[in-house]
Amino acid sequence: MGASLPPKEANLFKLIVKSYETKQYKKGLKAADAILKKFPDHGETLSMKGLTLNCTDRKSEAYELVRQGLKNDLKSHVCWHVYGLLYRSDREYREAIKCYRNALKIDPDNIEILRDLSLLQAQMRDLTGFVETRQQLLTLKSNHRMNWIGFAVAHHLNSNASKAIEILEAYEGTLEDDYPPENERCEHGEMLLYKISLLEECGFFEKALEELRKKELKIVDKLAYKEEEVSLLVKLGCLEEGEKLYRALLSLNPDNYRYYEGIQKCVGLYSENGHFSPDEIDRLDALYKTLGQQYKWSSAVKRIPLDFLQGDKFREAADSYIRPLLTKGVPSLFSDLSSLYNQPGKADILEQTILELESSIRTTGQYTGRMEKEPPSTLMWTLFLLAQHYDRRGQYEIALSKIDEAIDHTPTVIDLYSVKSRILKHAGDLAAAAAFADEARCMDLADRYVNSECVKRMLQADKVALAEKTAVLFTKDGDQHNNLHDMQCMWYELASAESYFRQGDLGLALKKFLGVEKHYADITEDQFDFHSYCLRKMTLRTYVEMLKFQDQLHSHAYFHKAAAGAIRCYIKLHDSPPKSTAEEDNDMSKLLPSQKKKMRQKQRKAEARAKKEAEEKNEESSAGGMAKSGKRHTKPVDPDPRGEKLLQVEYPLLEATKYLKLLQKNSPDSLETHFLSFELYMRKQKILLAFQAVKQLLRLDAEHPDSHRCLIKFFNKVGSMNAPVTDSEKLIWSVLEAERQTISQLHGKSLFETNNSFLEKHEDSLMHRAAFGEMLCILDPSRRSEVVNLIEGSTNNLVPRNGALGPIGEWKLKDCIAVHKLLGTVLVDQDAALRWKVRCAEFFPYSTYFDGSRSSVSPNSALNKICNSTENGTSNHSVGNHNSEPVTSNGKLEAFKDLTV
């Protein structure tokens, strides 16, 4: 390093390296310039100067200098190492690995380069290379603990856990008296637990238990020791001993559900699907009654029996569980009970139980069978629970009457307004839902959760500007909107992206969706620093879990929503490309002179407004961007705030394919993944790939309306194509003919017959009827009127009461909206669409989409009532000054008067 320089310059070169490591970049640059005055072509100095400049955000100069330095000294491992570091800083890991390998050809025993290479190999999951590099590091420096541990972890990640165990045992043999230094006891204990987890992973349960008990005194984490011991005992079949240990663990934490599950396994009363025989239920009931007497203050021991008890025993247990929580006033009670609604019959029992409690409190002021009077708030919390219960069952009118009664009883409880907002959202009145969410926000301006819920309701009502102003009340000063992106606030970005997409603003929708995708890229990059940190701190079990989580990162629901949203945007962009400047000028030339003048004035005003908003944001950023030291934090200006550049992509379907491949890899069991795949590949004329998507849809759910649509669309398209000419086309045709015989829906049937049999199977389902009708129009456009009559002849049957739902109609609001759009846009029958809208307004009186009689478009709606009460001063709490801005830090409801959906 700097060996070819005279002593004075060699010392200056060491100073450059030290300055870089201590982040004293000006000092390093000064030293580099001093060397380059005398030796302007010294490659290593040029490279180090470039690396230092890279840290001062001068990337183009940095790359130029490093390349020049490498050109001047190709045989210097320093130049190659620096080039690799430069690539690593830009997340170009594959290029960085190439540079490190070139450096190692020159200096194969350089520990720093080997260490950096191993980190990149772990990041890129080059596990074979990771093992080789770690072995080389251990060979060069075998007295370093981190090298032993790194080598063991490398083998574990490379699916060779038995070799990892051997390495850890060899490392233990290097310790004096088989004991680590006093200051490393905790780290050594973690290493031992990691080794035992490896033995367990390999299936050596007896050896693992023996090793665990042998090393008990050396393991500092006693809780992890006990949990590992009981896990091994259960796997070895020592159930009595395991039960004793689980009971001991319960005395430490009687609300840990895993411990109760462990006891059930030990006594032979555990089921993966939660189904038990009557005899097993009686034994479980007796077990939990015994545990309940022992752990009287545990909520888990009272809640778990509700999952397996049936009939009168369930009614009794639910009653005794609900009563004290209503008295105490626990807002999350319904969330706790919500999983029970998926079990047939239990929703009815819960309803009867809660209604009996309500009746008892109303008439006597106390629970049945008790002498003590209940506080007045108990009735309010009972009504609160009932409102959520009826909301879950789709009985929105009763739910709203209960929540209104609760609000009249105690108008100062914020949760009541939040739940009313949620009920109105489910009922279809998004504007009123946003208004009540804002009322809840105004009651506690310091509650971030309530503020966030209000923002979400505003976005659902497509009031994005209002939502942003409300959201930034809880962000830092400065560039407030970008703070939401910097904080990786993905729920906000997804909700706003969906809103922009509904409004047809594809630029901003894409920008938001791709912003979420960038967060996942950042999360992937964030693991880099842990590759060295976890080996140093010996948090090995957590480290391996983190790597497994990172490998499954893109299967998370938020990423799926963002990627699917981006694909939908690109498909829409392909179907309706934005007009070019020439086309816009051509359209303008067709207008009258007066219309041209008005259009230009509108454009100038819009440009001026956008410029003013940008200036205001810059001023806010400048005012708030002062550090404590008095220096300004300059953030890079967003070059595309409206996402307009994203719309200028030349091949939208090519961009969509990138995200589709990620969905196919990480969400292969999602219908939406393969539906988007079908839509994309049909537009790209990729017949076999589109057919592959159809087969995946049929595998997942052959009876789903979308699966049926794709099946009929595909073979109708194939049937309308020209006869194959080339060899490749003939091959594709032969594959499709062979595969068609394997599809049961099409076997020996025409497309018309397949479509008819689909209707016969699902004659009572609205969405299946709509799918049949849409496909019939594609197969025979002349039968459009028949399809309209079929859809209009659908009946909204009642769901049987003994199921998990209540006595409500089968039709869902979103399905009826989809059918209305089908009638208006696909079948192009506006009269039928209007008749359908009038009919659905009766079924969904709170829906603004169908102009329901009780929705916010009606004069007697909940929204107008809240606005009137605010204007008349009859509100039960302060809602702000009417002369203020629409959304201020002290709350405001007037902004919602003109909300439309």
Side-chain angles (χ1 to χ4, degrees):
M1 197 163 61
S4 59
L5 293 170
K8 182 182 176 183
E9 280 71 24
N11 289 331
L12 281 173
F13 187 84
K14 288 176 183 175
L15 179 63
I16 299 171
V17 176
K18 188 178 178 182
S19 300
Y20 170 74
E21 290 171 352
T22 55
K23 298 184 180 180
Q24 295 176 315
Y25 303 126
K26 286 185 179 178
K27 194 175 179 181
L29 289 172
K30 190 177 178 182
D33 289 336
I35 296 173
L36 292 172
K37 272 185 182 179
K38 291 186 178 181
F39 304 95
D41 296 328
H42 188 250
E44 293 180 0
T45 306
L46 286 167
S47 295
M48 281 305 302
K49 184 180 178 181
L51 187 62
T52 308
L53 285 172
N54 183 58
C55 298
T56 59
D57 291 329
R58 292 159 68 180
K59 286 193 178 293
S60 56
E61 292 178 63
Y63 271 99
E64 191 179 338
L65 281 170
V66 171
R67 283 171 185 147
Q68 189 182 339
L70 185 60
K71 187 179 177 182
N72 291 347
D73 195 351
L74 270 173
K75 292 186 177 180
S76 166
H77 70 273
V78 173
C79 292
W80 282 110
H81 191 190
V82 167
Y83 202 17
L85 291 172
L86 204 60
Y87 273 125
R88 192 184 82 175
S89 69
D90 286 339
R91 300 178 179 179
E92 296 281 350
Y93 295 138
R94 296 195 186 282
E95 295 299 320
I97 287 173
K98 289 178 187 176
C99 293
Y100 289 157
R101 289 197 182 282
N102 283 328
L104 288 171
K105 286 176 186 175
I106 299 161
D107 187 1
D109 295 338
N110 190 303
I111 288 175
E112 284 184 13
I113 301 173
L114 284 167
R115 193 183 297 122
D116 286 345
L117 176 61
S118 73
L119 297 179
L120 288 180
Q121 287 168 330
Q123 178 78 5
M124 300 303 294
R125 302 296 190 270
D126 175 13
L127 300 178
T128 306
F130 186 39
V131 169
E132 291 172 1
T133 307
R134 276 287 159 194
Q135 184 173 11
Q136 201 172 347
L137 277 166
L138 180 60
T139 306
L140 291 170
K141 205 169 184 181
S142 58
N143 61 343
H144 201 289
R145 181 188 70 185
M146 190 172 164
N147 290 339
W148 285 96
I149 303 303
F151 190 35
V153 170
H155 274 292
H156 180 204
L157 295 176
N158 200 31
S159 306
N160 194 353
S162 55
K163 185 68 176 176
I165 294 166
E166 291 175 20
I167 295 162
L168 291 174
E169 286 175 346
Y171 165 66
E172 285 183 87
T174 64
L175 300 174
E176 293 182 13
D177 301 325
D178 195 26
Y179 214 83
E182 188 64 29
N183 62 342
E184 294 180 6
R185 283 191 62 208
C186 187
E187 288 88 344
H188 186 69
E190 282 296 315
M191 187 272 290
L192 292 173
L193 285 169
Y194 174 63
K195 186 177 104 174
I196 290 155
S197 72
L198 288 174
L199 288 166
E200 185 179 5
E201 189 178 313
C202 291
F204 306 140
F205 301 130
E206 289 183 10
K207 188 178 177 183
L209 185 61
E210 182 187 342
E211 183 76 11
L212 183 71
R213 287 175 171 170
K214 183 181 172 184
K215 303 289 175 68
E216 179 180 0
L217 296 175
K218 297 179 183 178
I219 295 172
V220 178
D221 189 346
K222 296 303 178 188
L223 180 62
Y225 170 86
K226 288 179 181 177
E227 288 181 342
E228 186 64 37
E229 184 181 14
V230 75
S231 172
L232 291 168
L233 285 169
V234 171
K235 286 178 180 176
L236 285 167
C238 305
L239 300 180
E240 287 185 15
E241 198 176 347
E243 185 185 351
K244 288 178 185 176
L245 262 177
Y246 270 124
R247 288 182 182 272
L249 285 167
L250 273 178
S251 63
L252 296 174
N253 183 1
D255 281 314
N256 191 316
Y257 276 61
R258 288 190 296 112
Y259 298 162
Y260 290 103
E261 186 182 297
I263 288 179
Q264 285 181 224
K265 286 180 180 176
C266 291
V267 297
L269 293 172
Y270 178 72
S271 170
E272 288 285 347
N273 56 16
H275 296 152
F276 300 96
S277 67
D279 179 55
E280 288 174 331
I281 290 173
D282 291 338
R283 288 168 60 199
L284 275 170
D285 189 25
L287 171 67
Y288 276 94
K289 280 179 179 174
T290 308
L291 291 169
Q293 291 171 357
Q294 193 173 354
Y295 308 109
K296 292 181 180 178
W297 296 106
S298 168
S299 62
V301 79
K302 298 167 189 169
R303 172 62 185 82
I304 292 171
L306 298 182
D307 291 327
F308 59 79
L309 289 175
Q310 303 290 333
D312 291 335
K313 285 188 175 181
F314 171 76
R315 186 192 308 275
E316 184 184 338
D319 185 61
S320 60
Y321 182 74
I322 290 170
R323 284 186 181 193
L325 297 179
L326 288 177
T327 303
K328 192 176 180 182
V330 177
S332 60
L333 175 57
F334 179 77
S335 298
D336 189 13
L337 299 173
S338 61
S339 61
L340 300 173
Y341 284 72
N342 298 321
Q343 301 182 30
K346 289 193 175 180
D348 288 333
I349 296 173
L350 283 173
E351 183 175 319
Q352 293 165 12
T353 303
I354 303 165
L355 285 172
E356 286 170 9
L357 292 174
E358 181 199 16
S359 174
S360 174
I361 293 166
R362 281 185 192 279
T363 52
T364 63
Q366 61 194 32
Y367 291 132
T368 306
R370 288 186 62 180
M371 299 301 295
E372 300 88 355
K373 288 281 185 184
E374 289 296 313
S377 62
T378 304
L379 176 60
M380 183 269 292
W381 289 115
T382 307
L383 293 167
F384 178 72
L385 180 61
L386 270 173
Q388 293 174 90
H389 164 81
Y390 285 119
D391 176 41
R392 173 65 184 261
R393 306 194 91 176
Q395 296 168 287
Y396 304 120
E397 195 168 341
I398 305 174
L400 285 167
S401 68
K402 293 294 180 185
I403 201 68
D404 283 336
E405 189 180 347
I407 290 172
D408 291 338
H409 183 283
T410 314
T412 55
V413 178
I414 299 171
D415 297 283
L416 301 178
Y417 297 89
S418 295
V419 164
K420 184 167 185 179
S421 166
R422 200 172 302 128
I423 296 168
L424 286 166
K425 183 200 80 167
H426 295 155
D429 196 341
L430 301 177
F436 277 97
D438 193 66
E439 182 155 5
R441 180 188 72 84
C442 296
M443 294 171 75
D444 186 356
L445 298 169
D447 192 320
R448 185 173 190 150
Y449 172 78
V450 176
N451 187 82
S452 297
E453 194 169 35
C454 175
V455 170
K456 196 170 184 181
R457 297 284 174 266
M458 290 172 177
L459 290 171
Q460 287 162 351
D462 290 339
K463 296 295 175 181
V464 183
L466 201 57
E468 186 182 328
K469 289 178 183 178
T470 308
V472 299
L473 296 174
F474 277 86
T475 60
K476 297 175 185 175
D477 293 331
D479 191 358
Q480 296 177 322
H481 179 66
N482 282 342
N483 272 331
L484 292 167
H485 179 77
D486 295 339
M487 292 189 295
Q488 296 186 344
C489 192
M490 286 188 264
W491 68 263
Y492 172 82
E493 289 179 299
L494 283 172
S496 58
E498 292 288 356
S499 178
Y500 283 127
F501 184 78
R502 286 192 296 270
Q503 295 175 67
D505 192 338
L506 291 184
L508 279 170
L510 255 180
K511 189 173 178 65
K512 295 292 183 185
F513 281 132
L514 298 185
V516 175
E517 189 272 335
K518 185 182 180 300
H519 294 325
Y520 279 87
D522 291 340
I523 293 168
T524 303
E525 298 304 326
D526 288 343
Q527 69 176 302
F528 186 84
D529 294 331
F530 290 98
H531 297 310
S532 58
Y533 173 84
C534 291
L535 294 180
R536 192 168 66 252
K537 294 292 184 182
M538 300 288 279
T539 54
L540 305 175
R541 292 174 299 155
T542 311
Y543 173 59
V544 172
E545 283 176 18
M546 184 269 291
L547 293 181
K548 288 177 181 176
F549 165 75
Q550 287 282 356
D551 291 339
Q552 300 294 320
L553 182 66
H554 289 93
S555 60
H556 192 270
Y558 276 3
F559 178 81
H560 180 94
K561 286 179 184 177
I567 293 167
R568 290 201 310 272
C569 287
Y570 282 123
I571 288 175
K572 198 169 182 180
L573 192 59
H574 172 266
D575 294 344
S576 308
K579 289 183 178 180
S580 65
T581 310
E583 288 173 330
E584 286 178 1
D585 291 342
N586 188 36
D587 291 345
M588 185 77 83
S589 64
K590 294 176 184 177
L591 297 174
L592 296 170
S594 59
Q595 291 175 324
K596 284 183 187 177
K597 188 177 180 182
K598 284 181 181 178
M599 187 69 74
R600 288 196 184 97
Q601 284 176 347
K602 279 184 180 179
Q603 287 175 351
R604 279 196 291 269
K605 284 180 182 177
E607 287 171 5
R609 196 181 305 116
K611 189 177 179 182
K612 187 179 178 184
E613 285 176 4
E615 287 173 358
E616 285 174 359
K617 281 189 175 181
N618 286 336
E619 284 174 13
E620 287 174 3
S621 180
S622 300
M626 297 286 286
K628 290 181 181 178
S629 60
K631 294 180 181 178
R632 292 188 184 277
H633 293 301
T634 55
K635 285 189 177 181
V637 179
D638 188 351
D640 187 23
R642 302 284 308 173
E644 290 165 359
K645 291 181 181 176
L646 294 172
L647 298 179
Q648 294 168 8
V649 62
E650 191 173 357
Y651 302 109
L653 295 183
L654 189 63
E655 293 296 318
T657 307
K658 296 176 186 175
Y659 300 103
L660 178 64
K661 286 179 179 176
L662 285 170
L663 285 184
Q664 288 173 326
K665 181 182 177 183
N666 297 285
S667 302
D669 294 330
S670 166
L671 276 171
E672 187 180 22
T673 297
H674 303 296
F675 178 70
L676 290 171
S677 174
F678 174 79
E679 292 292 333
L680 188 63
Y681 288 127
M682 286 297 281
R683 284 167 173 78
K684 292 181 77 174
Q685 300 292 319
K686 302 282 187 181
I687 299 298
L688 287 181
L689 290 173
F691 181 62
Q692 191 179 58
V694 172
K695 290 199 73 175
Q696 291 294 335
L697 285 167
L698 295 175
R699 174 184 68 83
L700 292 170
D701 187 356
E703 302 304 320
H704 194 278
D706 284 339
S707 301
H708 178 70
R709 282 189 182 97
C710 293
L711 178 68
I712 300 295
K713 278 182 183 177
F714 178 78
F715 281 102
N716 182 60
K717 174 74 173 174
V718 169
S720 65
M721 293 173 74
N722 296 326
V725 178
T726 63
D727 290 340
S728 60
E729 286 177 352
K730 289 176 182 176
L731 181 62
I732 290 171
W733 243 249
S734 62
V735 169
L736 292 177
E737 285 299 321
E739 286 289 335
R740 179 167 179 158
Q741 303 304 316
T742 65
I743 299 173
S744 58
Q745 290 87 344
L746 293 172
H747 191 60
K749 296 178 185 175
S750 67
L751 293 182
F752 279 102
E753 290 170 338
T754 301
N755 202 31
N756 289 333
S757 62
F758 180 77
L759 178 64
E760 288 169 10
K761 279 186 190 177
H762 309 284
E763 196 170 1
D764 295 332
S765 167
L766 174 64
M767 292 309 291
H768 288 80
R769 277 177 168 243
F772 163 82
E774 188 179 344
M775 292 304 100
L776 186 59
C777 281
I778 289 174
L779 296 172
D780 186 358
S782 64
R783 298 173 67 178
R784 199 178 300 271
S785 58
E786 182 186 333
V787 171
V788 171
N789 292 333
L790 177 76
I791 291 174
E792 289 189 320
S794 305
T795 54
N796 190 10
N797 300 320
L798 293 179
V799 177
R801 190 174 174 79
N802 61 353
L805 294 172
I808 56 168
E810 284 181 337
W811 293 359
K812 299 288 184 291
L813 177 59
K814 64 177 182 178
D815 294 343
C816 291
I817 291 172
V819 170
H820 180 261
K821 289 177 179 176
L822 174 70
L823 290 168
T825 57
V826 179
L827 302 178
V828 199
D829 190 334
Q830 300 306 324
D831 293 335
L834 184 60
R835 290 194 298 272
W836 183 260
K837 187 173 184 178
V838 172
R839 186 181 176 189
C840 289
E842 296 175 9
F843 295 124
F844 306 102
Y846 292 95
S847 168
T848 50
Y849 184 89
F850 292 119
D851 296 338
S853 58
R854 299 185 185 180
S855 68
S856 54
V857 296
S858 168
N860 297 321
S861 69
L863 176 59
N864 287 312
K865 285 177 183 177
I866 190 174
C867 290
N868 291 336
S869 68
T870 306
E871 287 174 356
N872 298 331
T874 57
S875 181
N876 293 295
H877 57 274
S878 173
V879 292
N881 187 339
H882 292 281
N883 297 322
S884 63
E885 290 296 318
V887 174
T888 59
S889 58
N890 67 342
K892 185 68 184 164
L893 293 179
E894 194 169 308
F896 286 92
K897 281 185 178 180
D898 60 342
L899 274 179
T900 55
V901 182

